[in-house]
Amino acid sequence: MKKIVIALVLTTFSLMVFAQELKVKGEAKSGVYWEQSQDPGKDPVPLVYLHSKDDAGNNPKNHQGRFQLDLDYDNGNNFGMKARIRWQTWSGRDTPELWQYAFGYGNFFDDQMTVSVGKLGASPWGTGGPEMWKELEVGGSGGMRLEVKPGILSGLNVGFVLNTFNQPTEFSANDKDITILHLLQESVLGISYTHDLFHIRFAYRLDSDKDCNRDNLDVAGEEDEFLYRIEEHILDTFLPGLRIWAMGYFQGVRSDDPGYALFQNWLFAEYAPDLFTAQIRFGYDWIPNRSIAYVKPSFYWNFFDKLLSAGASFSYGQDFGEEMYEGSPYLYMEVEPKIQFNFSSSYIALVYNWRREYKHEEPELTAQGFTGDPIKQTQWINLRFCVYF
């Protein structure tokens, strides 16, 4: 609680002192969430929480919503700071992670070079969402980021990040074994380029053998990561509202155990004129011996100058290789209708979701005489509220 009070006091002080140069924006989300899930051969289990399923934490039990505050201060002389306060756990004894990032920056040589120092975020080389929000310099206790934006090639941003370990270092028997070379092996390399016709981003994070594997603390790291994002900027000129983009993330590039490797990819196509928004998402995940393909079409009508939108999405996933359940016709499928009222800086939405998902077959159920497919069925209703400021 003391940390929360200090953070709020500092924020208030910043607003008072730097009111002319400080840009503030944020959001507050919550809602009423009801869920009923039923595992194979078991009775349904109903649950009720305060929670919003609209990108406000992934755990309904622990995340009551999201309060997020973005601060951007520029002193007018090429120096400033950026910070994000995020609070998702509103009750209980859990200490919320307030500062998602907080760093100072300086622009040099007519904005052709930017140096940032602190707990890094707001990366120019992140995936940017939706479905995937990754920034490789996030993690550890902070670092330094150098961005070079040469004037001779407008739109190019290339640089690197020096930071610390993103996993515990208990694997090293003695901290004296850690050298500056090991810190350099935790660096991030990034590049982005914006053109009238397209935009691309790419980042690669090295990983030394002095921090632990994220899934096994008894194994050395060496889990290099990379990500990408690709956008086209030309279709909208021919058909306003049409766009296509893709993103991906690879974890465990050099892992000694290939079982820790994970490659995720998403491809989006969207057409959003004033009357409706139609979108289709394709996803593909790969781990050794198993892969999953996804498809998620959605369609939402807009009424009364977008005051009201109503529609639904359908999601389907199919696994290959070592399937979750051998012979299953799908991994999961779900239907999600939604109705949403949009105001100038807020919205209220009512969403229903119905999902069926194949699970691993449980021998104990078979021993009890269960003969059906091992399908878990879940349905939930979420009344959401959100305020933007």
Side-chain angles (χ1 to χ4, degrees):
M1 180 57 70
K2 183 183 294 184
K3 293 181 179 179
I4 298 174
V5 173
I6 293 174
L8 294 178
V9 169
L10 289 175
T11 302
T12 304
F13 178 78
S14 299
L15 291 172
M16 295 172 60
V17 175
F18 306 117
Q20 299 300 320
E21 298 87 3
L22 182 65
K23 297 178 182 178
V24 180
K25 67 176 183 178
E27 64 184 25
K29 296 179 179 180
S30 191
V32 179
Y33 177 78
W34 173 87
E35 176 185 292
Q36 179 175 277
S37 61
Q38 184 173 13
D39 286 310
K42 299 181 181 179
D43 294 331
V45 178
L47 300 170
V48 177
Y49 300 107
L50 283 180
H51 178 67
S52 172
K53 290 282 285 185
D54 185 15
D55 189 27
N58 55 12
N59 189 329
K61 183 177 180 180
N62 296 328
H63 297 151
Q64 289 76 39
R66 171 176 292 174
F67 173 80
Q68 181 168 291
L69 188 67
D70 290 346
L71 309 174
D72 187 349
Y73 168 70
D74 187 341
N75 71 354
N77 294 311
N78 296 319
F79 291 90
M81 58 81 68
K82 291 185 179 182
R84 169 172 289 174
I85 298 173
R86 176 175 290 178
W87 188 7
Q88 296 181 156
T89 302
W90 296 351
S91 64
R93 297 182 179 180
D94 295 333
T95 301
E97 181 185 352
L98 282 178
W99 296 101
Q100 189 181 26
Y101 60 80
F103 60 90
Y105 66 86
N107 296 316
F108 305 93
F109 308 114
D110 294 327
D111 290 339
Q112 294 187 81
M113 185 175 73
T114 299
V115 179
S116 303
V117 181
K119 185 175 182 181
L120 298 176
S123 174
W125 312 310
T127 55
E131 298 288 357
M132 183 184 296
W133 303 89
K134 294 286 187 180
E135 295 183 358
L136 297 188
E137 55 261 56
V138 173
S141 58
M144 295 157 284
R145 180 169 63 211
L146 173 67
E147 304 169 46
V148 178
K149 298 165 282 186
I152 58 174
L153 186 56
S154 177
L156 177 65
N157 183 319
V158 60
F160 63 91
V161 179
L162 299 176
N163 49 201
T164 186
F165 304 97
N166 59 346
Q167 298 296 325
T169 56
E170 282 83 353
F171 184 80
S172 176
N174 192 329
D175 286 344
K176 293 181 181 179
D177 295 337
I178 297 176
T179 67
I180 190 171
L181 179 60
H182 296 124
L183 283 179
L184 292 175
Q185 290 174 351
E186 296 284 334
S187 298
V188 177
L189 308 175
I191 182 172
S192 69
Y193 180 61
T194 302
H195 189 272
D196 291 339
L197 303 180
F198 62 88
H199 171 80
I200 59 172
R201 301 180 198 171
F202 177 85
Y204 192 100
R205 176 166 187 147
L206 302 168
D207 191 39
S208 73
D209 62 356
K210 289 300 180 180
D211 60 348
C212 305
N213 186 292
R214 72 190 66 212
D215 296 317
N216 187 345
L217 299 183
D218 296 323
V219 178
E222 295 188 325
E223 300 172 285
D224 290 17
E225 306 166 80
F226 78 78
L227 60 79
Y228 69 88
R229 181 182 178 95
I230 303 173
E231 306 173 8
E232 59 72 35
H233 290 171
I234 192 172
L235 293 178
D236 185 73
T237 61
F238 297 101
L239 185 60
L242 179 63
R243 62 188 185 126
I244 297 175
W245 70 102
M247 66 188 73
Y249 168 69
F250 198 143
Q251 166 193 308
V253 179
R254 292 189 304 121
S255 177
D256 292 334
D257 188 342
Y260 296 115
L262 169 64
F263 192 20
Q264 300 174 300
N265 299 271
W266 282 98
L267 173 65
F268 303 81
E270 179 181 275
Y271 180 46
D274 291 336
L275 292 178
F276 62 85
T277 298
Q279 187 186 95
I280 187 167
R281 305 179 182 187
F282 298 98
Y284 181 76
D285 293 355
W286 174 88
I287 58 175
N289 303 320
R290 186 168 184 247
S291 58
I292 306 173
Y294 310 90
V295 62
K296 183 179 181 180
S298 63
F299 188 91
Y300 300 97
W301 280 106
N302 299 319
F303 303 93
F304 312 117
D305 196 23
K306 298 186 178 180
L307 173 65
L308 171 67
S309 64
S313 66
F314 172 76
S315 300
Y316 179 89
Q318 177 65 65
D319 50 349
F320 304 91
E322 295 182 0
E323 294 180 282
M324 183 68 71
Y325 178 72
E326 186 175 355
S328 61
Y330 58 87
L331 173 62
Y332 75 88
M333 64 170 60
E334 65 180 19
V335 178
E336 186 176 300
K338 179 178 71 172
I339 182 170
Q340 180 167 312
F341 290 91
N342 303 293
F343 306 101
S344 59
S345 58
S346 62
Y347 72 77
I348 300 174
L350 181 63
V351 188
Y352 171 77
N353 181 283
W354 177 85
R355 178 185 178 100
R356 287 169 61 88
E357 179 178 4
Y358 273 86
K359 312 295 289 186
H360 281 298
E361 186 174 17
E362 299 182 15
E364 59 184 45
L365 289 178
T366 303
Q368 295 171 5
F370 179 77
T371 58
D373 289 342
I375 296 177
K376 179 178 180 179
Q377 181 168 301
T378 304
Q379 56 180 332
W380 54 258
I381 299 173
N382 192 197
L383 178 61
R384 305 171 182 167
F385 304 87
C386 178
V387 176
Y388 298 102
F389 53 89

